[in-house]
Amino acid sequence: MATPPLFLEYEDVLKRPEQRLAHGLTLEELDEFLAELAALIEPVELHFRWRPQSRDPNDEMLLEAAINGRADALVTYNTADFIAAGERFGIRIIRPADLLKKVRP
């Protein structure tokens, strides 16, 4: 799930030169990927802004999407900045590797 501003942030980050070096996609391939991702993502409307909740202001957009979208979990490498808000709003904060362990047979 994502809000429109959060999705645009994903696009911006993925198109940064250092990220393009990491993922190796051309801009055309990246646009195709983002179009497919947009088709799969559940849109979230912000009914209420919950700021500030995180010690990092750059995390607020992601947290607001999770809260307003009533997410069960927020998957991130940056667990430290989300733990307190996750507890406050009943959202599990888990690392990607932990999620993979849960979904692997």
Side-chain angles (χ1 to χ4, degrees), residues 8-91:
L8 291 173
E9 177 72 12
Y10 292 159
E11 179 181 26
D12 178 61
V13 170
L14 288 171
K15 288 186 175 182
R16 291 178 186 165
E18 64 274 15
Q19 293 299 321
R20 291 191 55 219
L21 283 174
H23 59 62
L25 298 175
T26 66
L27 286 177
E28 182 178 284
E29 291 169 330
L30 189 52
D31 285 339
E32 289 176 20
F33 169 78
L34 288 165
E36 292 293 324
L37 184 60
L40 296 172
I41 285 180
E42 180 182 331
V44 173
E45 290 184 38
L46 292 181
H47 297 289
F48 191 79
R49 294 184 66 127
W50 294 94
R51 296 177 190 207
Q53 295 295 323
S54 174
R55 60 186 183 178
D56 182 351
N58 294 324
D59 294 337
E60 298 290 353
M61 192 182 331
L62 183 59
L63 187 58
E64 283 178 338
I67 294 167
N68 282 277
R70 297 187 174 155
D72 295 323
L74 195 153
V75 181
T76 179
Y77 289 108
N78 183 15
T79 58
D81 286 349
F82 291 100
I83 291 294
E87 289 174 0
R88 188 175 305 119
F89 291 98
I91 300 170

